[in-house]
Amino acid sequence: MAVRERNNIYLPVKAEVVEKRHLSADVSLFTVRPDVPFDYRPGQFFMVSLWGAGEVPISVASLRKEGAKRSQQGGDLIEFCIRKAGKVTSLIHDVEKGGFLWIRGPYGRSFPLEYATGREMLVVGGGIGLAPLRPVIQWALRERNSIKKVSLLYGARTPDDLIFRDDLKRWAESGVNVVLTVDRATDGWDGNLGVVTTLWHKSEIDFREAVSFICGPEVMIRSAINDLFFFGMPEDRIITTLEAHMKCGVGKCGHCYAGRLYICTDGPVFSFREIKEHNLL
Amino acid sequence: MIFLTIEKARLREFLDAVSNEFRLIVPEKKGKSTYIFKEYTDFSRVALEFLRTIIPPKRFFFPPCETLLSYSEREGLTAVTEDIPFTVIFGVHPCDLHGVNILDRAFSYGGRDSFYWSRRERIGFIGLSCLPDRYCLCKSMHTDFIEDVYDLFLYTLDNVYMVSVRTAFGDDLTRLKSALFKSPTKKEILEYKRRIKERDSMFTRIMDITNLADLLTLEYKSEVWEEYSRSCLYCGSCVMVCPTCQCFDVYDTTDLTEGISYRIRRWDACMRKDYALVAGGHNFREDRPSRFRFRYLHKEIGFAEMHGRPTCTGCGRCSETCPAGIDMVEVVRRIRE
C-alpha cells in the first residue's frame, strides 16, 4: 500500500521554471519558483531532479532576499546554475521556461559569511565554480558598509566560458575589484591569460587580514588554498566548497564519505584547517 | 530484564504460537553448509544450530532494491512505503543484532529515513546463542554478546533455553504461551555460567584491534593496499553480505506505457569504479588501492569517529564469501606487522 508521509526526507517539491538563461555553451541558469518557500544560505545545495532522469546535487546560485514574502502562490525564486555534464543534467537542460523541476533541500553547511564582517573579502572562482560564489558577492554588496573591500579573481577555459557576464559587469560598477582570466584567448580578448592563481598581485588584498571564499576545479582549489596559506592567510579564513558524488544529500547513501565526514552534511563548505585535519584534498 | 526458561522440546509450540500472530522468519538450511532466513513453514525445517546466513537480516528492512517514490501527471507524487505485516525474526545471532544496531544509527543520522524505519519498526527479534567457527571474529570485535536490540534472546543449555526478555514486546511474545515458560533453576543458572565460559574458550580466530584506527591512519600509504588490490576482483560480494554496509545508489526509471516514473534505490558497493565519480569525469577514488583501502578505513575509522564504534561485527561473512580469498584478519595482520 502506498501512503504519503509528510516528513519523508526524500520527498521533493515541485518548482516551476520561470526563467531559463543560457550563460555559456553548456551552462544555463534556471530560475525556479517552488510550491513551498525554502530558507537557504550561500554555499548550501539542493537535490534537483527531473522525473525519469534522476537527482543531482546543485548549489544555490542566488541570495535569498531578506524578509522575502512567503506568498500564497509558493516560495520566492531560487536560481540554480547547471552545467550539461552528465545524463541527468543533460536532460534537465531540455526543460524550458514553464516546465518543472523537483527540488528538496537545502542541505549542507553554508559559507561562514560573518567572517567577512569588518574585513576584506577575496573571492576566487574557476569555471562553473562561480555559481555558489555569486550569492556570496551579492551578500557582500548588500552588506557593503561592514565589509572593507571585495575582490574577485575569476578564470575560465575561454572567454565564452566565463559565466554571469552581466553580473561581472555590474559588480565591477558597484566597486568590486573584478579580475578575469582565461586559459585560451579567442578573438577580441585582450585580458589576462593563465590560471587564476597567477593573478594574486592584482587582487589588491591584504592576505593576512582578509577572508577568502573559493570554488572551482580541484586543482585550482588545491593551489589556491596553498598559495593563500603561504601568503599568511590564517587557515580558518581560507574557505572552500568541495564537490562529491552524492545520491541522497542527507548523510546516508555513503557516496560522499571522506574520512570521518560526509561532504553533504558536514560540508560542502570547509576551511583549510578542516581540509588538512581530515585529509580532504 | 527478566529471565525465563523454556524446554527445548517445546520450542515448536512457542514458534507455532508466534507464527499464528505474526509473520515469522527463521533460519533454514539451503545448501550443504549454507543457511538463509525464510518464512516459517514447519518447525522441522528450522535450523537451530547454524552459523551465519548468506545474507544478513538487513534485507528485511533495507531490501536490496526498493522503489522510494513514484510520479505521474495523473497521480502526482507518492512515497511508496510498503505496509509490511508485523514480523518476528527468529534465530538472530549477537553479531547480526549488533549489525542491526549499527544500521539503525546510520539510517537515523542526518534525519530519519522513512523507508528504512517503516519496515524496521515493524520487526521484532528473537536472538539465539551460537558457537564460533573458524571465521567468527565477534570476540575480537566485542560483539560476541548483546544486551540491546533484541526482544527475546535464547541461550542454548542442555535441556532448556535460557530466555532473556529484553522488551515489552518480548514479554508479550512469552505471554502468547505463558505455560511454556518457567523461572530458571539454580542448576540452570550454573549451567548458563559454564556455557559462557566454554564458548569464550572456543574462539580460534583473534584479530587484534588495539590502536587499529591509528595504525590504519599511519599505514595509509602502505604497499599492503597495493598488493591486495591486485587480487581483489572488485565484485562487491563482501559488501552484499555485510550486515552493516549501508551504501545505496538512487536512480530513476520510467514505465513509458503507464507514464509513471519511479525513483529506486538499491545496494551499492564502495569498491565499484564509478562509486565516487562525479559529472565531468573526476573520480575521487579511481585507482584500485584507494578503493580497496576505503572500505577498511570507513569500517574501522570513519564510522567509529562518527558513532563511537567501528562497524565490523565480526560475523565472518566477507572472509567466507570472498572469491579471491581475501581475509580481513590477514589484511589487518599485515597492516599491524
Side-chain angles (χ1 to χ4, degrees):
Chain A
M1 195 189 82
V3 237
R4 181 159 184 164
E5 205 185 334
R6 270 165 76 211
N7 56 1
N8 188 320
I9 53 172
Y10 297 105
L11 278 184
V13 168
K14 197 177 186 179
E16 187 189 353
V17 177
V18 296
E19 196 191 338
K20 180 184 172 189
R21 203 147 57 91
H22 293 282
L23 299 181
S24 77
D26 56 356
V27 177
S28 289
L29 183 70
F30 291 81
T31 308
V32 303
R33 184 189 300 281
D35 281 357
V36 297
F38 287 98
D39 200 354
Y40 58 91
R41 286 170 53 82
Q44 290 191 297
F45 67 95
F46 281 77
M47 293 301 284
V48 178
S49 64
L50 184 64
W51 286 103
E55 269 185 323
V56 282
I58 304 285
S59 54
V60 290
S62 55
L63 183 67
R64 187 170 178 270
K65 287 197 188 67
E66 227 166 39
K69 267 204 209 108
R70 298 194 161 180
S71 70
Q72 291 196 314
Q73 291 93 346
D76 40 288
L77 305 177
I78 309 179
E79 291 178 318
F80 295 107
C81 180
I82 302 176
R83 182 161 68 102
K84 218 189 270 193
K87 190 194 90 182
V88 181
T89 49
S90 298
L91 289 164
I92 286 177
H93 265 248
D94 293 338
V95 177
E96 298 298 336
K97 183 178 167 179
F100 295 95
L101 294 176
W102 291 75
I103 64 172
R104 57 184 176 93
Y107 298 125
R109 195 156 62 141
S110 58
F111 284 114
L113 296 174
E114 64 282 1
Y115 286 16
T117 308
R119 297 189 185 277
E120 298 180 0
M121 182 200 276
L122 173 63
V123 180
V124 186
I128 196 172
L130 185 61
L133 299 171
R134 181 173 176 247
V136 173
I137 298 168
Q138 290 172 338
W139 175 84
L141 288 173
R142 196 173 75 190
E143 307 284 318
R144 69 176 80 205
N145 294 334
S146 60
I147 292 162
K148 282 192 191 156
K149 183 193 279 181
V150 184
S151 196
L152 166 67
L153 303 187
Y154 176 46
R157 276 169 298 177
T158 70
D160 289 337
D161 290 313
L162 292 166
I163 57 171
F164 294 118
R165 271 167 275 179
D166 300 349
D167 290 280
L168 293 171
K169 219 162 102 196
R170 208 167 326 129
W171 294 339
E173 286 162 9
S174 312
V176 177
N177 173 34
V178 177
V179 183
L180 304 178
T181 181
V182 295
D183 295 343
R184 284 192 314 277
T186 47
D187 290 344
W189 178 263
D190 56 1
N192 300 302
L193 273 181
V195 294
V196 281
T197 47
T198 57
L199 297 172
W200 298 124
H201 59 289
K202 298 198 177 179
S203 69
E204 296 169 14
I205 284 283
D206 177 354
F207 295 111
R208 270 174 254 219
E209 284 306 313
V211 53
S212 64
F213 297 107
I214 306 162
C215 184
E218 199 187 302
V219 274
M220 189 214 86
I221 295 178
R222 213 187 277 264
S223 58
I225 55 182
N226 281 322
D227 286 359
L228 291 172
F229 184 61
F230 178 76
F231 296 154
M233 193 176 283
E235 53 194 2
D236 283 328
R237 290 208 299 269
I238 305 175
I239 319 281
T240 185
T241 169
L242 299 179
E243 186 191 15
H245 186 131
M246 288 176 197
K247 287 293 182 183
C248 73
V250 285
K252 294 184 180 59
C253 79
H255 285 264
C256 71
Y257 257 131
R260 58 164 291 191
L261 304 174
Y262 268 122
I263 302 286
C264 66
T265 50
D266 299 301
V269 171
F270 292 101
S271 69
F272 185 33
R273 180 195 290 279
E274 291 164 326
I275 285 173
K276 281 200 292 192
E277 187 183 331
H278 302 293
N279 203 9
L280 297 177
L281 269 179
Chain B
M1 202 153 40
I2 311 166
F3 277 94
L4 299 168
T5 58
I6 179 172
E7 273 175 52
K8 281 181 167 177
R10 306 195 72 179
L11 183 63
R12 169 196 289 264
E13 287 171 62
F14 178 56
L15 290 187
D16 283 345
V18 173
S19 81
N20 280 339
E21 292 290 321
F22 307 103
R23 172 181 173 227
L24 178 62
I25 304 291
V26 293
E28 262 189 28
K29 196 164 187 168
K30 185 167 188 269
K32 222 171 84 195
S33 58
T34 50
Y35 298 88
I36 52 168
F37 280 113
K38 265 186 98 171
E39 305 266 335
Y40 178 77
T41 47
D42 184 71
F43 186 74
S44 61
R45 299 180 64 93
V46 179
L48 291 170
E49 284 175 19
F50 71 106
L51 279 151
R52 55 191 76 76
T53 53
I54 303 171
I55 303 287
K58 74 174 177 184
R59 73 180 173 93
F60 293 101
F61 40 92
F62 176 41
C65 189
E66 66 180 310
T67 303
L68 303 181
L69 308 171
S70 76
Y71 176 78
S72 72
E73 292 280 338
R74 207 156 40 100
E75 304 278 326
L77 173 63
T78 315
V80 188
T81 41
E82 197 188 344
D83 222 0
I84 67 158
F86 206 101
T87 302
V88 173
I89 307 183
F90 168 82
V92 188
H93 292 161
C95 57
D96 281 350
L97 288 166
H98 277 280
V100 173
N101 185 284
I102 285 165
L103 286 182
D104 284 355
R105 296 185 201 201
F107 281 96
S108 304
Y109 178 84
R112 202 182 114 96
D113 188 300
S114 311
F115 301 101
Y116 175 91
W117 282 105
S118 69
R119 292 188 183 86
R120 174 66 183 85
E121 281 177 343
R122 299 181 63 78
I123 291 181
F125 294 102
I126 302 179
L128 182 65
S129 66
C130 48
L131 298 175
D133 76 345
R134 64 196 176 98
Y135 290 112
C136 289
L137 197 60
C138 50
K139 196 184 169 193
S140 300
M141 298 310 297
H142 310 299
T143 51
D144 53 332
F145 177 74
I146 179 95
E147 41 195 14
D148 206 348
V149 185
Y150 64 84
D151 299 288
L152 292 181
F153 195 98
L154 274 53
Y155 294 94
T156 313
L157 303 184
D158 284 342
N159 300 313
V160 299
Y161 292 105
M162 176 80 85
V163 183
S164 158
V165 184
R166 178 72 179 77
T167 63
F169 178 65
D171 188 54
D172 289 349
L173 287 176
T174 62
R175 280 165 207 275
L176 290 174
K177 246 342 186 186
S178 48
L180 296 176
F181 295 92
K182 299 192 179 85
S183 288
T185 63
K186 204 142 200 179
K187 192 173 147 256
E188 283 159 351
I189 295 172
L190 282 172
E191 196 195 336
Y192 172 79
K193 287 196 216 170
R194 178 175 58 79
R195 289 248 182 181
I196 296 178
K197 243 190 235 163
E198 269 175 22
R199 176 174 182 257
D200 207 44
S201 63
M202 285 173 74
F203 285 92
T204 51
R205 207 155 113 102
I206 303 293
M207 183 167 90
D208 186 2
I209 59 165
T210 328
N211 289 30
L212 184 56
D214 291 1
L215 289 172
L216 288 168
T217 310
L218 289 165
E219 293 293 351
Y220 189 77
K221 290 179 176 160
S222 163
E223 65 276 15
V224 169
W225 305 118
E226 168 79 41
E227 201 181 298
Y228 277 102
S229 74
R230 281 197 290 267
S231 46
C232 177
L233 302 170
Y234 295 89
C235 64
S237 298
C238 52
V239 170
M240 299 299 126
V241 300
C242 179
T244 65
C245 272
Q246 66 173 92
C247 289
F248 58 83
D249 183 23
V250 179
Y251 63 96
D252 279 18
T253 59
T254 302
D255 181 336
L256 288 171
T257 48
E258 296 287 328
I260 306 176
S261 293
Y262 298 98
R263 189 151 294 159
I264 293 167
R265 83 163 155 204
R266 66 174 168 203
W267 293 355
D268 204 349
C270 56
M271 60 272 298
R272 282 178 51 245
K273 193 165 183 181
D274 56 0
Y275 182 83
L277 178 72
V278 291
H282 183 71
N283 195 333
F284 290 90
R285 280 185 297 277
E286 187 163 26
D287 60 300
R288 293 166 68 93
S290 60
R291 278 187 279 137
F292 183 85
R293 178 181 59 203
F294 179 74
R295 188 159 183 272
Y296 285 80
L297 295 189
H298 172 64
K299 290 230 168 275
E300 306 298 339
I301 308 177
F303 190 91
E305 289 191 14
M306 281 167 95
H307 298 281
R309 53 157 303 163
T311 76
C312 177
T313 67
C315 72
R317 285 188 181 89
C318 55
S319 302
E320 193 184 23
T321 306
C322 181
I326 296 172
D327 180 4
M328 190 181 75
V329 175
E330 189 59 20
V331 176
V332 168
R333 194 185 60 75
R334 290 287 309 281
I335 288 295
R336 195 168 272 287
E337 258 174 14

